[in-house]
Amino acid sequence: MLKTTRRGFLAASAVLPGSVSAAVGPTRPEDRVAADLQAYIGFGHKQAGGAGDMQCGAWLGSELEKLGFKVERQSFSAPFFEPSQCTLSCGDAKATLWPQPIVVQTGPSGVTGPLVRIDRFGQADASLAGAIALLDLPHGRWSSATAKPIREPIAAAFKAGARGVVVITNGPTGKIIALNADGRKPMFDGPVAVLAPDDAKPFLAAALRHDLATFVLQGSDGRRPAYNLVGRIDRGKPRWLVVSTPRSGWYGCAGERGPGVAIWLWLARWASAAVRDHNLAFVCNSGHEYEYLGAAEALKEIAPKPADTHFWLHLGAGIAARDWHELPGNWNPLPSVDPQRFLSLSRPLLPLARRVFAGHPGYEAPYASDALAAGELVEIIAAGYQNVAGVFGSHRYHHVADDDERCVSADSVSTTAAAFQRFVEQIL
């Protein structure tokens, strides 16, 4: 198994975070999706336990309660880091970095040493003893520091005596790609941060000469409360339908998380009224960016047991994010979806998925979960759930600060939500 998450909305359905529970709201499903997307995006950055994440969770819980779900919160602790300075300086060049959690700080004066370039195999052209290693990744839609081409060369650099590692996440946008991390303890033996490819040129040139550079990673850190939530409708039936989605992430997560949240709400509204022969459990996790920290806790305590679960659908990253035309010096969003999205499910469900998702880019070619699974779906399968489906993907702005309202279309999300409703209807 491979273990690999703009203004085009309808003005009439605009919903701000402070007014999402207004008595009068959109009635058409498409308008409701537009309002849900706009509400989710409006909560801002959604790092686990931060203000945006906590407010978003409260909103989602209130939406479930209005549908008749009994809502329960499950608390856990998540790491946090508030940077005061996170920079790399060399000669006249200076760039702001993204701190890699769980953060190992340098102290206020930072660490200084020669810049030495390394590749994804950990190969370097000079000694790394006392150096600042510059890990120049190949082009990719990077997502997690647990990926072998990231994790292994960083570990090797510290073993060889490096004082710090700066990672260039070469990807579709030229911007910093924030990387998921272990949420329980630091992954590395020293300070690590991410540098935008757009800012990397002078530092790559300096690394050829092994010029001295200073790396500062300083701020306030610790752990703070976060929570999962589950909404249940227990009809006294023998089997449960479970639908889950994460809500947290490094930035605003419009295309990464917004469609999953909107489709989760769509299915909750439909199932609460139409699914009468199953109990319902709708699970929403925080802590996704810390290698599914919240999902692991939910599986321990608040999810229905595997033996009692008829079907579990997990709505992961990039479910219906926009595709883009890439023009020299300019990108234009398209109405179509980014096809780098994957549908993975229990092998007996493959024929049904091929019928239901025919014509849906990416999903029209589903995978058996014993051949390909990723994200929380891996955890769900490992916990013993037998009849499952999960979706995941990395759109062009995945884990990038510019993953904003331009990256999602209410029409595409509505089309995808309707397909998942048909899929679940036929399974049940």
Side-chain angles (χ1 to χ4, degrees), residues 283-368:
V283 180
C284 182
N285 300 319
S286 183
H288 167 87
E289 65 273 31
Y290 291 107
E291 287 300 313
Y292 328 128
L293 185 63
E297 296 302 314
L299 285 165
K300 291 177 186 176
E301 294 185 15
I302 65 174
K305 301 301 182 186
D308 300 328
T309 301
H310 180 182
F311 177 62
W312 186 318
L313 173 64
H314 181 72
L315 302 166
I319 294 180
R322 282 188 190 272
D323 207 352
W324 295 75
H325 267 155
E326 299 179 22
L327 303 173
N330 187 34
W331 281 28
N332 290 328
L334 294 169
S336 54
V337 298
D338 190 317
Q340 290 300 311
R341 55 181 189 165
F342 299 81
L343 173 58
S344 172
L345 34 71
S346 302
R347 190 172 289 275
L349 298 177
L350 282 171
L352 173 61
R354 292 185 183 115
R355 292 195 302 272
V356 171
F357 293 100
H360 289 259
Y363 296 157
E364 61 197 348
Y367 294 83

Side-chain angles (χ1 to χ4, degrees), residues 22 41 52 99 114 146 183 216 267 293 317 326 335 357 374 389 393 403 411-412:
I41 294 167
T146 63
V216 182
L267 293 176
L293 185 63
E326 299 179 22
F357 293 100
D403 184 7
D411 288 343
S412 295

